[in-house]
Amino acid sequence: MAASKPVEPQSGSSLPRWQLALLIGTPIVLGVGAVYLWNRSKTKDSPGKRNGERTTPEGSASPSSGPGPGPLDRAQGAKNKGNKYFKAGKYEQAIQCYTEAIGLCPRDNQTDLSTFYQNRAAAYEQQMMWTEVVQDCTQAVEMNPRYIKALFRRAKALERLDNKKECLEDVTAVCILEAFQNQQSMLLADKVLKLLGKEKAKDKYKNRDPLMPSPQFIKSYFSSFTDDIISQPLQKGEKKDEDKDNEGEAAEVTESSGYLKAKQYMEEENYDKIISECTKEVESGGRYTAEALLLRATFYLLIGNATGAQPDLDRVINMEDANIKLRANALIKRGSMYMQQQQPMMSTQDFNMAAEIDTRNADVYHHRGQLKILLDQVEEAVGDFDECILLRPDSALAQAQKCFALYRQAYTGNSQSQVQTAMDGFEDVIRRFPKCAEGYALYAQALTDQQQFGKADQMYNKCIDLEPDNATTYVHKGLLQLQWKQDLDLGLDLISKAIEIDNKCDFAYETMGTIEVQRGNLDKAIDMFNKAINLAKSEMEMAHLYSLCDAAYAQTEVARKYGLKPPTL
């Protein structure tokens, strides 16, 4: 699919999202949960505690010693009375009793006093008095900084008060204290991270400076199309004979056509000038207006300006007298854009329309097949890949992606025989198409999933031999070293190599950031995530990266406030 980074499949899948990374020749983002990639403790909580709601007040306070009821005994009695009211749903009376317990409890009995504040916060919570909940939980946490109930109750109240930043810090502390064993706190962390990410990305993306991707990324993008007129080299009819230095060689275009100049700049990899030249063609109403609109829209998409791209795509699609190939290509790109924007129904409509107007366009079926994989409609994806292969039997990428779709279907269906059939299919693809780097890359991901690490490493080496400037291959090879040999140094060296090859590879910065989180190097992780944010190609991708960055920042705050740090590599 033409999107720079697709969204995750719509239904549950046992395959991690990064394993689809080379499906379109570019990396896929890791899930928000990648923020907590460290090894979770195997310690299990007692039954009913891991997923249970923390709504009940605490039980007994510490008994006092000595004859007769002392202040602590009287405080405990008031608290016990409050608990009875709480269980009966009489929260006003419960609050009064807990207030009495707080007043009676000696100040040096910090543990008991923190319990009384937390119990009153529980009663306030039932009355949706969120400010009071926060105030009482704060008192409890000041006396007992690792008080999980109080921290989590305060986190939920802060969420209600729309204080997402402090909510995230509290729930992060809870996750660490519970060794990531409680689903309820993990879900709240995930929810708040996504909300924070969306809020920040909406503002940042709207005001961002356009950034042209690396030449390698652009060439990889265009290589996914075979019926794209605008990505083809200048044809003989598009330039004058005197503009050719030698037969078969492209030369400087002397025509005034902005589109032809833009095509020349494409061949020279002078991509920054393409949009302006296309604009000249469009404004002059030149003979290549439709082509210029589509080329300009394509580069708007590449720099992450979907707002600028859509009117151009709409216009080409509605040009009934335009070349069918142009209109179909515009539909593919608009459909991919919709998928990035998490509008799968509109995306599907565009791909279906493209198939209707240009039934023999292999690109339509190729990219729609990838869309179907992202929607977990694997059987339909295989059908589209078959149609693409029927139209273009030499399409190595479609053959490899069909194998990947079949592998995924077999893996999720726990069919070992079908898994082996898919793996045999990969072997056939790399035998028939030995120069198809994507075939080796997809096979390597399937091999990694099957824990055939040595052979996966060989496949990545083949990719690097064929495409030494493909940064994402080095990132995946680095991840393989971490999973296979737990070789952190080699993994980081390979990812650093990816950044050296392509300093605009956001996938490399993101992956480096997640590894630094696991190593406990939170400041460096935040720096890596911020670099990836500045390179994000869509608002959705930027939101995800902000989520990772916010999670790392929350951990630094938790470490500073409570001295809590998760286990590190």
Side-chain angles (χ1 to χ4, degrees):
M1 196 164 63
S4 62
K5 281 193 180 182
V7 296
E8 66 181 326
Q10 299 298 302
S11 60
S13 168
S14 57
L15 286 179
R17 280 197 285 172
W18 69 264
Q19 290 196 340
L20 291 175
L22 293 182
L23 194 59
I24 58 165
T26 52
I28 245 175
V29 293
L30 298 166
V32 168
V35 133
Y36 300 122
L37 279 177
W38 46 75
N39 293 326
R40 299 181 184 178
S41 167
K42 293 183 180 178
T43 304
K44 302 297 182 183
D45 290 328
S46 58
K49 184 177 179 183
R50 291 179 63 188
N51 299 312
E53 288 280 350
R54 303 175 179 87
T55 56
T56 57
E58 295 283 348
S60 300
S62 303
S64 64
S65 58
L72 185 56
D73 289 309
R74 294 200 301 275
Q76 181 181 346
K79 184 266 302 178
N80 290 339
K81 188 176 178 182
N83 286 355
K84 291 180 181 178
Y85 280 128
F86 186 99
K87 291 175 182 177
K90 298 179 179 180
Y91 303 116
E92 282 286 354
Q93 293 93 322
I95 289 169
Q96 291 173 9
C97 291
Y98 296 139
T99 302
E100 182 183 350
I102 290 167
L104 289 169
C105 185
R107 298 297 99 179
D108 57 347
N109 286 85
Q110 297 278 284
T111 300
D112 298 302
L113 194 54
S114 68
T115 299
F116 301 153
Y117 273 110
Q118 196 282 142
N119 282 10
R120 190 169 70 175
Y124 280 135
E125 182 181 49
Q126 295 300 315
Q127 294 188 311
M128 295 188 288
M129 298 171 67
W130 309 117
T131 301
E132 288 78 4
V133 173
V134 170
Q135 290 171 348
D136 273 6
C137 287
T138 299
Q139 291 283 350
V141 170
E142 285 177 359
M143 298 174 196
N144 181 2
R146 301 195 175 195
Y147 197 167
I148 293 176
K149 275 192 176 183
L151 283 165
F152 189 67
R153 182 159 279 119
R154 186 170 68 177
K156 291 187 292 181
L158 287 166
E159 183 200 7
R160 293 284 192 148
L161 294 169
D162 201 33
N163 188 340
K164 299 182 187 69
K165 179 178 176 294
E166 292 185 19
C167 169
L168 180 60
E169 291 174 13
D170 278 353
V171 77
T172 297
V174 171
C175 287
I176 294 172
L177 286 167
E178 294 181 323
F180 305 92
Q181 295 298 313
N182 191 303
Q183 177 129 7
Q184 195 186 6
S185 51
M186 290 289 287
L187 287 173
L188 178 59
D190 188 70
K191 176 184 177 182
V192 175
L193 282 168
K194 287 177 179 176
L195 289 171
L196 275 171
K198 286 179 181 178
E199 286 179 4
K200 292 184 177 182
K202 186 174 183 180
D203 180 61
K204 169 82 172 179
Y205 197 78
K206 181 172 58 178
N207 300 307
R208 70 195 283 270
D209 293 326
L211 181 68
M212 191 66 68
S214 66
Q216 192 280 328
F217 182 97
I218 294 171
K219 286 186 283 187
S220 175
Y221 176 91
F222 280 111
S223 71
S224 67
F225 296 93
T226 56
D227 280 324
D228 185 0
I229 294 172
I230 63 169
S231 65
Q232 303 304 317
L234 283 166
Q235 301 298 310
K236 196 167 186 178
E238 293 179 317
K239 52 190 173 182
K240 300 174 182 177
D241 289 342
E242 58 263 34
D243 290 332
K244 298 167 66 179
D245 295 330
N246 297 297
E247 187 65 33
E249 292 185 5
E252 182 181 357
V253 174
T254 58
E255 269 189 57
S256 60
S257 166
Y259 171 70
L260 295 184
K261 287 182 181 178
K263 288 286 291 283
Q264 184 72 46
Y265 288 137
M266 273 192 72
E267 292 187 9
E268 296 169 358
E269 297 183 14
N270 193 354
Y271 300 120
D272 288 320
K273 295 183 177 180
I274 288 174
I275 289 176
S276 61
E277 291 299 333
C278 288
T279 299
K280 290 177 185 177
E281 181 79 20
V282 172
E283 290 178 349
S284 68
R287 60 182 286 201
Y288 298 110
T289 295
E291 288 88 347
L293 284 166
L294 182 55
L295 184 57
R296 184 171 70 176
T298 302
F299 273 86
Y300 275 143
L301 289 173
L302 284 167
I303 65 174
N305 184 1
T307 303
Q310 182 155 354
D312 286 353
L313 294 172
D314 291 347
R315 192 169 161 188
V316 174
I317 291 165
N318 292 322
M319 285 181 172
E320 294 187 2
D321 58 342
N323 187 307
I324 288 296
K325 298 289 183 193
L326 290 175
R327 294 177 64 202
N329 188 266
L331 282 162
I332 292 170
K333 289 171 180 172
R334 192 175 70 176
S336 299
M337 180 190 73
Y338 284 144
M339 195 62 194
Q340 271 199 329
Q341 295 170 348
Q342 295 185 296
Q343 301 183 66
M345 288 184 64
M346 295 182 71
S347 178
T348 300
Q349 287 173 5
D350 272 1
F351 278 105
N352 291 346
M353 187 185 302
E356 288 173 11
I357 68 171
D358 193 3
T359 58
R360 298 191 61 76
N361 188 325
D363 287 344
V364 174
Y365 302 104
H366 178 188
H367 290 272
R368 190 171 68 177
Q370 295 180 53
L371 167 70
K372 297 299 184 183
I373 286 181
L374 295 175
L375 295 174
D376 266 353
Q377 299 171 3
V378 181
E379 287 187 17
E380 293 181 31
V382 171
D384 275 337
F385 290 137
D386 281 337
E387 190 66 32
C388 176
I389 293 165
L390 185 65
L391 292 168
R392 286 193 177 272
D394 60 345
S395 176
L397 185 54
Q399 304 263 10
Q401 288 173 343
K402 175 186 174 182
C403 288
F404 192 85
L406 290 170
Y407 168 76
R408 179 172 177 166
Q409 185 179 44
Y411 184 89
T412 56
N414 294 316
S415 174
Q416 191 54 47
S417 63
Q418 291 180 10
V419 165
Q420 188 56 54
T421 299
M423 302 300 268
D424 292 342
F426 278 120
E427 288 284 349
D428 183 59
V429 168
I430 63 174
R431 179 185 58 78
R432 291 165 54 208
F433 304 101
K435 295 189 180 299
C436 176
E438 291 86 351
Y440 293 108
L442 291 171
Y443 189 22
Q445 292 183 52
L447 287 165
T448 301
D449 201 52
Q450 292 296 307
Q451 299 188 356
Q452 297 183 40
F453 300 126
K455 192 167 184 178
D457 194 48
Q458 293 173 15
M459 295 301 107
Y460 282 131
N461 288 338
K462 289 280 191 180
C463 290
I464 291 170
D465 289 342
L466 290 166
E467 294 183 352
D469 294 332
N470 190 329
T472 59
T473 304
Y474 286 91
V475 179
H476 283 290
K477 184 175 168 66
L479 287 170
L480 173 65
Q481 306 312 308
L482 293 174
Q483 188 175 352
W484 177 21
K485 299 179 179 178
Q486 291 76 53
D487 191 332
L488 191 61
D489 291 336
L490 179 55
L492 289 172
D493 284 347
L494 286 163
I495 297 168
S496 297
K497 176 71 172 177
I499 294 171
E500 181 184 325
I501 290 170
D502 181 3
N503 63 4
K504 294 181 180 179
C505 181
D506 52 335
F507 182 43
Y509 291 115
E510 176 188 348
T511 306
M512 185 79 81
T514 59
I515 292 171
E516 294 298 350
V517 166
Q518 295 179 72
R519 298 176 75 196
N521 298 332
L522 297 175
D523 289 338
K524 187 169 183 181
I526 291 168
D527 180 54
M528 292 293 106
F529 291 140
N530 279 325
K531 287 180 178 179
I533 286 166
N534 291 327
L535 295 167
K537 299 175 185 69
S538 71
E539 186 177 325
M540 185 184 71
E541 178 186 335
M542 186 178 283
H544 159 77
L545 291 165
Y546 266 122
S547 296
L548 298 179
C549 191
D550 287 338
Y553 180 77
Q555 290 170 58
T556 66
E557 289 299 291
V558 167
R560 181 180 63 82
K561 289 181 180 179
Y562 307 115
L564 289 173
K565 292 184 180 180
T568 57
L569 291 173

